[in-house]
Amino acid sequence: MRNDKIKLPGIEESKPVLLIVDDQPLVVRQIYEIFQEEFHIFMASDGEQCLKMCSELIPDLVLLDVNMPKMNGYETCEKIKSNVSTSHIPVIFVTANITEQDEVKGFEIGAVDFIRKPINPLITWARVVNHVQIKRQSDMLRSLALIDGLTGISNRYQFDEQLLSGWMACTREKKPFSLLMIDVDHFKAFNDEYGHQAGDECLRTIAQIISNKINRPNDMVARYGGEEFACLLPNTDLQGALKVARDIRLGIGESIISFTNGEGDREEARVTVSTGVASAMPSSEVEPTELIRIADEQLYSAKGAGRNCVKGINLSELA
């Protein structure tokens, strides 16, 4: 067993998720005993199980046996790295026999390290902890790069990533997927009357209101650009998305935007939003960007109908 004095610095506050993939129960048991106290541990016995659990769990690290039936470790690793939603997961190969060529191949397809069998608890612990810490630091930096600096919500880059991964997940699960495009009505006039600082405060307030209406873990609100926001709603049909959009419209319309004017005095104002909604049953035959195009069309329809309203459609109605 590992030395009890070895700690998990910097990541004790939330246990990392470790996925062990090996068809030998004895090896799985050895690794489990090393990490059972400080990690949430999941196990798979073949490559197909590994891929499924990677997509569902998004583990912090995968310990992957090289020699497995049906799909070997190299093939499994290649599939992990080719999937946009799992490509960032570090993979450490676990193997009894390894040549220099094997190591080169492993690193070329995206592995971060190798651990040799029979398992040495101290070395295995040290290597796993090191790569988990690197991943946690990378995740933190990545999350900062995906946040809009003004509003504190997701930015356009993260929206694009989440749209693709969410669309793929709903395609696999055969679940509906919806998108809201939200635009602040007459925002240029608001800026002209009250100033850009007031406009910034307005956008921050709206972002907070929308975020408060988006409650499920996989839903996402992002600043799409300028005064436009977008909401991704996986596992949500048109009726559900329209309800969320109407709740957001009412929440914003009933709220007071408080800000400091150019003379240093506090002022208050109200704004409204127009929203376009597009829903679809995702498939590999339809690009997720089509949802953006249709939601934009619905947004323009809402503005043409006098603003401060919601328009939506299901892509199946356009066929």
Side-chain angles (χ1 to χ4, degrees), residues 13 21 29 133 146 183 191 199 210 226 231 238 250 269 283 292 295 315:
E13 66 279 1
V21 188
R29 181 64 188 175
Q133 288 176 319
L146 298 177
D183 191 78
N191 266 341
I210 298 174
C231 296
L238 179 61
L250 287 173
S283 74
I292 299 176
L315 266 64

Side-chain angles (χ1 to χ4, degrees), residues 17-308:
V17 175
L18 176 65
L19 176 60
I20 306 169
V21 188
D22 202 303
D23 60 344
Q24 298 179 20
L26 178 60
V27 174
V28 173
R29 181 64 188 175
Q30 287 177 320
I31 297 175
Y32 175 82
E33 288 179 353
I34 297 170
F35 298 104
Q36 61 179 318
E37 294 182 7
E38 287 85 2
F39 285 72
H40 292 297
I41 299 176
F42 296 84
M43 305 166 206
S45 58
D46 58 49
E48 289 294 338
Q49 277 188 337
C50 171
L51 296 175
K52 184 174 185 294
M53 295 181 77
C54 279
S55 295
E56 294 174 353
L57 297 171
I58 312 295
D60 288 289
L61 188 137
V62 176
L63 286 176
L64 181 59
D65 184 27
V66 172
N67 298 310
M68 295 186 296
K70 298 180 182 178
M71 185 188 303
N72 66 36
Y74 295 124
E75 294 170 316
T76 304
C77 183
E78 285 182 311
K79 290 183 180 293
I80 292 173
K81 295 301 176 179
S82 66
N83 186 329
V84 66
S85 63
T86 60
S87 61
H88 65 291
I89 300 172
V91 174
I92 297 179
F93 282 123
V94 182
T95 182
N97 301 308
I98 184 170
T99 66
E100 185 176 292
Q101 289 76 19
D102 292 331
E103 285 193 275
V104 170
K105 180 180 179 180
F107 289 129
E108 285 179 343
I109 62 176
V112 296
D113 210 340
F114 282 81
I115 291 174
R116 296 178 184 274
K117 298 178 183 178
I119 298 298
N120 180 307
L122 285 174
I123 292 176
T124 300
W125 170 265
R127 290 188 173 182
V128 167
V129 168
N130 179 57
H131 287 295
V132 167
Q133 288 176 319
I134 291 171
K135 179 185 179 291
R136 287 291 179 92
Q137 292 165 358
S138 176
D139 287 348
M140 185 180 299
L141 292 173
R142 186 170 177 271
S143 67
L144 291 174
L146 298 177
I147 297 299
D148 176 62
L150 176 65
T151 62
I153 61 175
S154 299
N155 62 16
R156 173 67 181 275
Y157 182 78
Q158 186 169 19
F159 167 85
D160 290 339
E161 281 196 344
Q162 198 71 18
L163 172 64
L164 179 58
S165 62
W167 183 269
M168 291 170 61
C170 285
T171 299
R172 291 192 301 271
E173 298 166 8
K174 295 181 172 56
K175 297 291 181 66
F177 191 90
S178 295
L179 167 66
L180 277 54
M181 299 297 288
I182 304 167
D183 191 78
V184 183
D185 296 327
H186 304 296
F187 187 68
K188 183 179 183 303
F190 184 95
N191 266 341
D192 290 344
E193 180 173 357
Y194 299 111
H196 288 283
Q197 287 186 332
D200 289 348
E201 190 58 43
C202 175
L203 294 177
R204 280 191 286 266
T205 301
I206 289 174
Q208 187 59 56
I209 294 170
I210 298 174
S211 296
N212 290 341
K213 301 293 184 180
I214 305 296
N215 299 316
R216 300 180 310 172
N218 291 329
D219 295 344
M220 192 192 79
V221 55
R223 187 181 178 197
Y224 193 75
E227 68 273 20
E228 194 168 8
F229 298 85
C231 296
L232 297 176
L233 305 175
N235 301 343
T236 305
D237 61 14
L238 179 61
Q239 293 306 311
L242 288 172
K243 182 182 185 307
V244 173
R246 288 164 183 153
D247 287 346
I248 290 171
R249 184 189 70 83
L250 287 173
I252 293 171
E254 293 172 353
S255 297
I256 296 174
I257 309 297
S258 179
F259 54 89
T260 302
N261 62 26
E263 298 177 356
D265 299 322
R266 296 297 291 177
E267 285 196 53
E268 296 178 345
R270 293 182 185 270
V271 297
T272 61
V273 295
S274 300
T275 304
V277 181
S279 296
M281 187 63 71
S283 74
S284 57
E285 298 174 357
V286 180
E287 292 293 327
T289 50
E290 182 68 5
L291 208 64
I292 299 176
R293 186 181 70 81
I294 300 302
D296 267 334
E297 288 182 356
Q298 294 300 302
L299 174 59
Y300 292 133
S301 176
K303 286 187 173 293
R307 294 181 168 84
N308 191 24

